[in-house]
């Protein structure tokens, strides 16, 4: 029997939005922490740290997110960690975000004039203090706009977690469509909900970019 | 107690060694380019050295090696009795004792003048914030800009920024000050205020190594002028001797070029 596409079905899809948001938030926090560590290692003067992190970034930027999800999902079961879509999706998306954020933030760190590092070094500030008080506060200002821009990509990227059985927005759309056979209606709603989240973020990113352009205009 | 050296100035304790910086056979390469070739130089405590020479002669590299902004590949540098070799050991200890002023100021733009001045004393020396602020205000007054303490660097003129940079370095209470072409990035009308600050500092007995083309400053302040060319020290002499009777052809050529662009109004008085 074909189910009708009514309010209950709409509500089911809308409620799944929270899992998309939760997964995005976890991936963003995990990716942010990992990304900062990788960005710092990538800009360090220690060669082997730089090589390892460059390899990590290349690997995750050079493979599809879908494959990363598959590999983490099935890799976890091979390692005997059990099959849990939540953990797998969170881990895969965090690693993915870490690689991309690291590369964005590396650019921001390297955009700070070398004279800043030299002055801080000459004052005797060790690496950690230099980063925390001199380099990162300046790099953060440049980083805000592209980081928000990447967040949009990340929110949309969570839709791929549907493939490994994680019930977020896209997966809930598939479930409802399987019961109602109203693909156009269902996926219009799903797409519309992504848009409602992503458009304000894109708008914010553009505004932040303009504000930064004004602030750094000479 | 060790005997008080006759050169010892009020800034230095009586037990301080009489040699501030000793460089022995220092060699520095950038890839295959040899930037410094067999540098031997001793700077006594309280001494003022002016380093000059054509661009690319290695003078900036020389002073950047003293606080190890550049690593050296051969030789030995002893700063305030702390030995620096090629391995990078003791670097942090040396940097605390050596202040540096750069051509492009390099103030931290996201911090106020006062925050610029107290960052290193509080984070590196562990001095309490209130004390660091008091010290910073003292030095800002000494470079004649106490009223700018709460402004951001971008709100100041070039000359004021460079004086903040000097105050910031002094807040670490350094034993030696390095100046890397401190007036080269300044508009002409601001050069004097920075030079005056440096002259004050010199008169208080600070050990100074200055890379500069301000020959008037060199004549007035320097104990010795070091002339460099192609990574080597070609000539070391007191300023009068160096300017009036340079021994080496390369120094004569260089002085000729400098004097063409920095012609003093009256040759009898220094142009500062």
């Amino acid at each position: 029997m074909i189910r009708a596409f009514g309010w209950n079905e709409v509500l089911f899809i809308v409620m799944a939005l929270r899992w998309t948001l939760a997964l995005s938030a976890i991936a963003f926090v995990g990716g942010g922490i990992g990304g900062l560590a990788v960005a710092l290692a990538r800009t360090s003067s220690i060669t082997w740290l730089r090589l390892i992190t460059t390899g990590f970034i290349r690997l995750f930027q050079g493979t599809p997110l879908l494959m990363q999800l598959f590999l983490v999902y099935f890799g976890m079961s091979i390692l005997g960690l059990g099959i849990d879509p939540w953990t797998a999706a969170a881990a895969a998306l965090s690693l993915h975000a870490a690689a991309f954020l690291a590369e964005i933030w590396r650019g921001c760190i390297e955009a700070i004039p070398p004279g800043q590092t030299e002055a801080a070094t000459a004052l005797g500030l060790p690496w950690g203090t230099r980063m925390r008080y001199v380099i990162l506060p300046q790099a953060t200002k440049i980083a805000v706009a592209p980081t928000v821009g990447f967040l949009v990509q990340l929110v949309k990227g969570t839709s791929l977690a549907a493939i490994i059985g994680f019930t977020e927005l896209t997966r809930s759309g598939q479930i409802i469509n399987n019961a109602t056979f109203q693909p156009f209606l269902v996926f219009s709603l799903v797409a519309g909900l992504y848009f409602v989240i992503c458009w304000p973020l894109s708008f914010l990113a553009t505004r932040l970019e303009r504000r930064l352009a004004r602030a750094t205009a000479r | 107690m060790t005997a008080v050296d006759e050169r010892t100035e009020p800034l230095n304790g009586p037990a301080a060694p009489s040699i501030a910086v000793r460089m022995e056979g220092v060699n520095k390469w950038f890839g295959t380019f040899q930037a410094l070739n067999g540098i031997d130089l001793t700077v006594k405590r309280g001494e003022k050295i002016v380093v000059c020479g054509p661009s690319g002669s290695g003078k900036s590299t020389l002073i950047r090696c003293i606080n190890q902004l550049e690593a050296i590949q051969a030789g030995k540098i002893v700063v305030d009795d702390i030995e620096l070799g090629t391995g990078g050991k003791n670097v942090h200890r040396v940097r605390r004792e050596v202040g540096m002023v750069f051509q492009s100021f390099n103030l931290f733009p996201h911090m106020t003048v006062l925050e610029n001045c107290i960052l290193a004393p509080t984070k590196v020396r562990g001095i309490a914030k209130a004390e660091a602020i008091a010290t910073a205000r003292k030095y800002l007054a000494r470079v004649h800009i106490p009223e700018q303490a709460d402004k951001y660097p971008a709100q100041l003129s070039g000359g004021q920024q460079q004086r903040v940079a000097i105050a910031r370095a002094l807040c670490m209470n350094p034993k030696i000050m390095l100046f890397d072409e401190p007036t080269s990035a300044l508009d002409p009308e601001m050069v004097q205020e920075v030079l005056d600050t440096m002259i004050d500092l010199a008169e208080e007995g600070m050990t100074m190594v200055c890379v500069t083309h301000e020959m008037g400053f060199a004549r007035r302040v320097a104990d010795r002028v070091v002339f460099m060319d192609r990574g080597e020290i070609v000539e070391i002499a007191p300023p009068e001797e160096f300017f009036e009777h340079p021994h080496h052809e390369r120094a004569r050529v260089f002085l000729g070029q400098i004097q063409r662009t920095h012609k003093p109004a009256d040759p009898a008085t220094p142009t500062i």
Side-chain angles (χ1 to χ4, degrees):
Chain A
M1 194 197 128
I2 296 174
R3 201 165 143 180
F5 186 64
W7 279 114
N8 277 336
E9 286 67 29
V10 170
L11 199 64
F12 181 80
I13 291 175
V14 172
M15 290 308 278
L17 196 56
R18 63 199 154 138
W19 301 121
T20 289
L21 291 176
L23 186 58
S24 302
I26 291 173
F28 187 64
V29 171
I33 295 166
L36 181 61
V38 174
L40 289 174
R42 181 88 167 73
T43 53
S44 87
S45 54
I46 303 163
T47 315
W48 63 267
L49 262 182
R50 247 185 1 247
L51 286 175
I52 289 176
T53 47
T54 307
F56 169 80
I57 291 168
R58 294 277 176 278
L59 186 69
F60 276 84
Q61 288 198 333
T63 52
L65 175 56
L66 188 56
M67 294 305 124
Q68 293 162 16
L69 278 161
F70 277 159
L71 289 175
V72 171
Y73 185 59
F74 296 118
M76 272 171 55
S77 67
I78 288 171
L79 290 174
L81 295 169
I83 291 191
D84 172 28
W86 246 117
T87 323
L93 280 161
S94 292
L95 287 169
H96 177 82
F100 277 83
L101 288 175
E103 199 62 354
I104 293 172
W105 294 345
R106 174 191 65 86
C108 297
I109 290 171
E110 286 176 352
I112 306 305
Q116 292 289 307
T117 303
E118 284 178 5
T121 308
L123 282 167
L125 297 175
W127 179 85
T129 318
R130 213 157 65 211
M131 278 292 165
R132 182 168 161 207
Y133 295 100
V134 179
I135 305 301
L136 292 182
Q138 297 184 61
T140 306
K141 278 189 198 162
I142 321 172
V144 172
T147 302
V148 174
F150 174 73
L151 187 53
V152 174
Q153 302 298 317
L154 191 62
V155 171
K156 292 189 289 186
T158 59
S159 65
L160 289 172
I163 303 267
I164 58 168
F166 181 88
T167 310
E168 37 62 80
L169 193 51
T170 304
R171 182 95 183 105
S172 73
Q174 289 169 347
I175 291 168
I176 294 298
N177 180 49
N178 288 344
T180 61
F181 290 106
Q182 295 272 13
F184 194 76
L185 260 179
V186 169
F187 291 117
S188 295
L189 176 63
V190 169
L193 289 171
Y194 278 114
F195 184 77
V196 165
I197 303 299
C198 293
W199 184 73
L201 285 175
S202 302
F203 182 74
L204 180 68
T206 315
R207 264 194 46 176
L208 290 168
E209 241 166 65
R210 262 196 235 126
R211 194 204 283 176
L212 180 75
R214 268 204 308 275
T216 53
R218 284 168 211 282
Chain B
M1 277 308 278
T2 47
V4 177
D5 187 287
E6 59 175 10
R7 286 201 66 92
T8 303
E9 312 280 347
L11 272 170
N12 315 307
S18 59
I19 302 295
V21 181
R22 198 170 76 240
M23 304 178 93
E24 282 174 15
V26 170
N27 285 298
K28 162 86 194 162
W29 283 271
F30 291 108
T32 54
F33 173 74
Q34 185 162 11
L36 294 179
N37 184 5
I39 299 292
D40 294 306
L41 178 66
T42 301
V43 181
K44 289 194 276 295
R45 197 156 283 282
E47 198 176 20
K48 288 94 187 121
I49 300 275
V50 162
V51 184
C52 63
S55 74
S57 59
K59 47 196 196 305
S60 283
T61 308
L62 177 116
I63 68 165
R64 288 163 62 91
C65 285
I66 295 175
N67 65 352
Q68 295 280 288
L69 283 183
E70 305 288 354
I72 59 170
Q73 276 80 45
K76 187 169 98 169
I77 300 177
V78 182
V79 181
D80 192 44
D81 260 5
I82 305 165
E83 186 171 335
L84 289 166
T86 49
K89 227 176 78 188
N90 295 333
V91 175
H92 288 296
R93 281 174 63 206
V94 164
R95 284 178 186 153
R96 289 181 190 197
E97 310 304 334
V98 179
M100 188 166 200
V101 175
F102 298 86
Q103 181 176 352
S104 48
F105 327 139
N106 295 345
L107 295 177
F108 307 134
H110 59 299
M111 295 181 187
T112 64
V113 164
L114 197 63
E115 287 166 348
N116 263 279
C117 291
I118 65 170
L119 179 69
T122 54
K123 302 299 171 198
V124 179
R125 288 220 192 267
I127 291 169
K129 197 174 172 192
E131 194 188 328
I133 289 175
T135 309
R137 291 201 187 279
K138 181 181 89 185
Y139 283 116
L140 287 173
R142 226 162 90 180
V143 300
H144 310 294
I145 38 173
E147 72 287 356
Q148 312 287 3
D150 297 317
K151 288 196 180 160
Y152 284 90
Q155 297 170 287
L156 306 181
S157 73
Q160 289 173 326
Q161 288 191 48
Q162 194 60 298
R163 285 185 282 152
V164 171
I166 294 171
R168 177 176 72 176
L170 291 175
C171 283
M172 279 295 276
N173 201 13
K175 296 189 175 125
I176 299 151
M177 284 285 284
L178 307 174
F179 292 85
D180 190 1
E181 302 202 30
T183 56
S184 299
L186 293 173
D187 290 334
E189 74 271 22
M190 293 169 186
V191 169
Q192 198 52 51
E193 61 188 61
V194 171
L195 290 179
D196 285 343
T197 308
M198 291 168 66
I199 291 166
D200 286 347
L201 197 58
E203 283 169 356
E204 284 160 27
M206 178 62 79
T207 309
M208 293 163 68
V209 182
C210 315
V211 172
T212 181
H213 289 145
E214 296 293 333
M215 293 304 137
F217 172 81
R219 279 171 189 268
R220 167 139 177 209
V221 167
D223 295 309
R224 286 184 296 161
V225 176
V226 172
F227 174 72
M228 289 185 71
D229 192 21
R230 292 173 222 161
E232 292 170 352
I233 291 178
V234 177
E235 190 162 339
I236 304 183
E240 316 79 56
E241 192 184 321
F242 176 72
F243 289 115
E244 307 310 330
H245 312 288
H247 291 292
H248 288 78
E249 181 55 30
R250 283 187 272 179
R252 277 195 285 273
V253 171
F254 173 75
L255 283 173
Q257 286 161 344
I258 283 284
Q259 272 150 12
R260 231 172 291 148
T261 48
H262 293 73
K263 190 99 185 148
D266 173 7
T269 56
T271 51
I272 42 169

